[in-house]
């Protein structure tokens, strides 16, 4: 499945979330379950203090997602979603999503949490969570990601194809500055 697949065609959406906004240099993974209408949190460094910080950040997702979807009549346009199901029964579509912490996430030990959530998201998408090594070999995973990106770019160049949804216009100086700041 492509990253730019419309939400009207998916049942789950994954979000890498940086915790810097609450004074923490940490990454978590969020999962919006479209059909069951909840937001699941995958955190590889769970404890009471961290859970409070995570909750503060994901409450924004929990609040804003239903508002945006409601404004676009998202649920009404999805024929595959039963609006009489328990997840929707008696709930205003603008009501915040329930937040659920997943207790099955392998707890990292001195790992790079950014690389960890990339590996975790990949494993989650393929149903292979139990195969995540702990401790994760961060150096190997970084190199693996770099090689995969290089091979993908080389194939695109050599075979001359464009990814669906790829930006085909010219980037303005403003766009270039924004992209440079994000790196």
């Amino acid at each position: 499945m492509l990253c730019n697949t419309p939400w009207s065609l998916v049942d789950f959406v994954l979000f890498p979330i940086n915790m810097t906004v609450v004074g923490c240099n940490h990454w978590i993974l969020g999962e919006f379950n479209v059909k069951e209408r909840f937001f699941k949190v995958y955190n590889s460094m769970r404890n009471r203090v961290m859970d409070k910080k995570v909750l503060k950040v994901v409450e924004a997702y929990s609040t804003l997602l239903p508002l945006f979807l409601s404004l676009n009549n998202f649920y009404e346009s999805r024929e595959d979603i039963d609006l009489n199901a328990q997840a929707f029964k008696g709930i205003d579509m603008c009501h915040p999503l329930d937040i659920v912490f997943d207790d099955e996430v392998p707890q990292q030990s001195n790992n790079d949490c950014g690389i960890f959530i990339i590996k975790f998201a990949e494993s989650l998408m393929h149903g292979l969570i139990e195969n995540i090594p702990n401790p994760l070999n961060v150096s190997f995973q970084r190199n693996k990601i770099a090689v995969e990106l290089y091979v993908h770019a080389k194939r695109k160049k050599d075979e001359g194809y464009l990814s669906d949804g790829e930006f085909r216009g010219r980037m303005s100086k403003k766009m270039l500055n924004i992209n440079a700041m994000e790196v």
Side-chain angles (χ1 to χ4, degrees):
M1 178 170 291
L2 299 172
C3 291
N4 64 343
T5 301
W7 285 21
S8 59
L9 300 176
V10 299
D11 295 333
F12 304 94
V13 180
L14 296 177
F15 297 85
I17 301 170
N18 187 280
M19 300 292 298
T20 307
V21 71
V22 290
C24 214
N25 188 16
H26 182 55
W27 285 89
I28 61 171
L29 185 67
E31 175 190 304
F32 171 42
N33 185 313
V34 176
K35 287 188 172 183
E36 298 296 321
R37 207 178 174 282
F38 66 84
F39 196 86
K40 186 181 280 189
V41 177
Y42 299 99
N43 181 8
S44 62
M45 286 180 44
R46 292 221 39 210
N47 61 49
R48 197 173 50 168
V49 173
M50 183 61 80
D51 281 355
K52 281 185 178 182
K53 291 179 179 185
V54 167
L55 188 58
K56 190 174 186 177
V57 172
V58 297
E59 280 177 338
Y61 288 86
S62 168
T63 302
L64 291 174
L65 283 170
L67 290 174
F68 293 146
L69 295 176
S70 178
L71 287 170
N72 292 302
N73 296 320
F74 175 78
Y75 284 109
E76 292 82 353
S77 68
R78 293 271 311 247
E79 293 178 12
D80 62 323
I81 296 178
D82 180 8
L83 297 179
N84 294 315
Q86 185 64 34
F88 299 93
K89 199 169 209 130
I91 294 177
D92 182 327
M93 288 301 157
C94 294
H95 185 73
L97 304 169
D98 289 336
I99 298 170
V100 177
F101 284 82
D102 188 296
D103 293 325
E104 303 300 316
V105 179
Q107 296 299 288
Q108 63 175 323
S109 52
N110 299 325
N111 282 328
D112 179 316
C113 55
I115 296 295
F116 188 86
I117 68 145
I118 291 170
K119 183 65 176 173
F120 185 81
E122 179 183 57
S123 298
L124 183 65
M125 289 185 288
H126 296 289
L128 300 171
I129 297 172
E130 66 279 353
N131 293 347
I132 298 175
N134 197 2
L136 186 66
N137 184 335
V138 173
S139 178
F140 172 80
Q141 292 301 326
R142 278 192 184 123
N143 289 336
K144 181 179 181 279
I145 291 168
V147 167
E148 288 169 348
L149 289 171
Y150 173 80
V151 168
H152 177 72
K154 180 119 175 67
R155 285 186 59 209
K156 283 179 74 169
K157 180 180 177 278
D158 293 347
E159 297 171 20
Y161 72 88
L162 293 174
S163 301
D164 287 344
E166 192 167 298
F167 182 75
R168 292 179 174 93
R170 290 182 54 118
M171 293 188 74
S172 67
K173 283 186 179 183
K174 182 178 178 184
M175 291 172 82
L176 289 170
N177 288 338
I178 290 170
N179 289 339
M181 291 187 320
E182 291 173 353
V183 176

